[in-house]
Amino acid sequence: MERINKLTDEELALSYIKGDNKAFDELLSRNQNKLFSYILFIVRDEDKANDLFQETFVKVITKLHQGRYVDSGKFGAWIMRIAHNVIMDWYREQRARNIVEPTEENDLSNIGGNNLLDSNVENQFVKEQVLTDVKKMMNLLPPTQREVVFMRFYQNMSFKEIAELTGVSINTSLGRMRYAILNLRRMTKDHNIVLQLD
């Protein structure tokens, strides 16, 4: 087991393809939190996120067995791309049925961010209120804008990585971010919200 812990994700994937099931268990363990939080952030429903997470890993297993994974040093990006495609397929299916149902609990409480400032109690309260306001407003963004904001600010991905993962051009990724920022600014102005962390 100690040997498995030292392998990269790419090496684990190749070991799993060769029949080492423990390698897949380690891959799942390493990637499940990041992947699930990404899916939950986009779909905003825990039950649906669990379903899509499982569907994603079924597709990962299938693609590995079909030999459709090539060791490029980017296993994490590869599975995020699969998750993105699963989510987009789900959205298309929802749109086709005209059953897009927002939940009452559209919050982002699963996302960290409490380490942004080390300051006094008053600043802590202000920071918490700002983060709460930002999370509420982000839930009002269209899914493609919410996704690019999540990848950029919560997963620290470059626009090139976002473009590759979502299957669009860098310009489209930048455009989605631009519109997300414009929409967030409009929301703050419309509702007289002050977003200031200092």
Side-chain angles (χ1 to χ4, degrees):
M1 187 63 169
E2 193 172 307
R3 183 189 70 82
I4 283 183
N5 292 340
K6 294 181 180 177
L7 295 177
T8 65
D9 284 357
E10 291 72 26
E11 291 168 332
L12 288 169
L14 296 174
S15 292
Y16 174 67
I17 291 168
K18 293 175 185 170
D20 185 352
N21 289 330
K22 288 183 182 176
F24 184 79
D25 293 342
E26 179 67 19
L27 270 177
L28 178 61
S29 171
R30 286 184 190 179
N31 291 283
Q32 65 185 3
N33 288 339
K34 181 178 180 182
L35 194 63
F36 182 77
S37 66
Y38 163 69
I39 293 169
L40 181 60
F41 182 84
I42 302 303
V43 301
R44 302 179 299 186
D45 177 287
E46 192 165 352
D47 291 335
K48 181 44 64 182
N50 277 314
D51 292 344
L52 294 174
F53 175 80
Q54 290 174 18
E55 185 178 338
T56 297
F57 264 94
V58 166
K59 290 196 181 228
V60 167
I61 291 168
T62 302
K63 289 177 186 294
L64 286 171
H65 282 295
Q66 292 172 343
R68 293 172 63 187
Y69 173 70
V70 178
D71 181 7
S72 62
K74 297 181 179 180
F75 181 81
W78 183 70
I79 63 171
M80 290 287 280
R81 174 76 179 157
I82 293 170
H84 167 80
N85 290 340
V86 167
I87 293 167
M88 291 303 114
D89 288 346
W90 175 72
Y91 271 121
R92 281 186 210 103
E93 182 182 315
Q94 295 302 305
R95 203 173 328 143
R97 291 184 190 172
N98 293 324
I99 313 176
V100 178
E101 299 178 24
T103 65
E104 290 293 320
E105 299 158 8
N106 284 344
D107 69 19
L108 304 178
S109 59
N110 61 311
I111 295 175
N114 293 332
N115 303 343
L116 293 176
L117 288 179
D118 291 328
S119 58
N120 63 33
V121 175
E122 182 180 348
N123 281 345
Q124 185 65 27
F125 285 127
V126 170
K127 179 188 77 168
E128 288 174 9
Q129 184 59 51
V130 167
L131 290 175
T132 299
D133 290 341
V134 168
K135 288 174 183 180
K136 285 179 183 174
M137 290 187 304
M138 284 176 61
N139 278 325
L140 300 174
L141 293 173
T144 54
Q145 292 175 23
R146 195 168 56 246
E147 179 181 45
V148 75
V149 169
F150 179 78
M151 290 177 171
R152 182 74 179 123
F153 292 109
Y154 290 97
Q155 295 190 322
N156 297 318
M157 295 174 71
S158 70
F159 283 106
K160 181 180 180 196
E161 292 170 322
I162 294 169
E164 288 172 0
L165 188 63
T166 57
V168 298
S169 69
I170 292 177
N171 285 341
T172 300
S173 294
L174 289 166
R176 288 176 179 174
M177 178 62 76
R178 179 177 175 270
Y179 285 116
I181 291 169
L182 289 172
N183 282 329
L184 290 169
R185 283 183 182 155
R186 180 185 44 77
M187 285 183 241
T188 59
K189 186 176 180 183
D190 290 349
H191 300 289
N192 290 328
I193 298 171
V194 178
L195 301 177
Q196 188 171 342
L197 287 174
D198 51 26

